[in-house]
Amino acid sequence: KASLYMDAQALYDLFRSRQSDRHYDTTRAISREVLQRIVENALLAPSATNQQPWQIVVVDTPDLSQKVASAARSGMLGQNKFLLQAPVHILIIGDRPGALAATMGKTFRDINYVPYDLGILIAHLVLAVEAEGLGSCIVGWLNGRKVAKVLGIPKTKKVLFDISVGYSLDSKRPKKRKKPEDCIHYNGW
């Protein structure tokens, strides 16, 4: 009988390998099957009271990808030029929290859980991208209104993130992180 658990080190290696990639091979298309697998598995992410306050739009055709990239960059002071070469854009749209999550979060903790839930979803998504041998970059500095207009997303929805995806041309870089002993505390501060 096969174990449901993977080798923990393989997961930790995936954490170490994932980085923000900004150079993509524009000659290599990503199959719809791979994209579907990535997104479906990312949707397994947990959320407060299981509200799943998100919608995802995957853009994988070259012409529309260019339009989305141009819209995302519109009015952003020339930032994120690399989006123009990304073959795929995975747009994250945040929903309003459901009644239970909104009531419980606001009443008992004074917290809107949607941003946290979206962060968990995005973490699952970019790790799935990495597991498939692709690169990604999480972009939150974008013109979500223009992207929504290009894609016909209702005005009641808000495009919050563009995850660019492609076969990365970037070399793996060492991670610059705080020392664990500066961040981890056991049994008190």
Side-chain angles (χ1 to χ4, degrees), residues 14-188:
L14 186 68
F15 291 172
R16 282 183 190 83
S17 178
R18 197 269 152 200
Q19 63 186 19
S20 293
D21 292 311
R22 293 176 177 85
H23 300 94
Y24 303 107
D25 185 342
T26 57
T27 66
R28 292 181 70 188
I30 304 166
S31 76
R32 180 73 56 91
E33 178 184 345
V34 168
L35 293 170
Q36 186 70 21
R37 196 165 50 234
I38 288 167
V39 175
E40 280 186 13
N41 283 288
L43 290 173
L44 296 172
S47 61
T49 66
N50 199 28
Q51 294 292 303
Q52 304 167 55
W54 48 63
Q55 297 290 320
I56 296 174
V57 176
V58 179
V59 177
D60 65 349
T61 60
D63 289 346
L64 190 54
S65 186
Q66 284 294 300
K67 288 177 184 173
V68 166
S70 293
R73 295 185 67 242
S74 177
M76 295 291 118
L77 307 172
Q79 297 294 314
N80 300 324
K81 190 173 183 177
F82 71 93
L83 288 175
L84 295 167
Q85 66 165 302
V88 173
H89 297 268
I90 301 177
L91 290 305
I92 307 298
I93 293 92
D95 285 339
R96 296 179 192 271
L100 180 60
T103 302
M104 298 294 280
K106 185 70 179 161
T107 303
F108 297 108
R109 301 280 322 276
D110 196 26
I111 295 175
N112 173 5
Y113 286 103
V114 172
Y116 301 100
D117 293 340
L118 293 178
I120 296 166
L121 170 73
I122 291 169
H124 277 62
L125 186 98
V126 297
L127 288 171
V129 166
E130 185 72 20
E132 291 285 352
L134 299 163
S136 66
C137 188
I138 304 164
V139 178
W141 180 256
L142 73 150
N143 190 327
R145 285 187 186 138
K146 288 223 175 177
V147 171
K149 189 172 182 178
V150 167
L151 296 174
I153 295 169
K155 289 182 180 180
T156 57
K157 302 292 182 184
K158 198 170 195 177
V159 177
L160 298 172
F161 296 95
D162 179 352
I163 314 299
S164 62
V165 177
Y167 287 97
S168 179
L169 297 175
D170 289 335
S171 299
K172 292 296 181 184
R173 304 176 298 275
K175 294 201 181 293
K176 296 176 184 174
R177 297 292 187 264
K178 293 178 182 178
K179 295 177 188 172
E181 57 270 19
D182 293 339
C183 303
I184 300 170
H185 309 274
Y186 284 95
N187 304 315

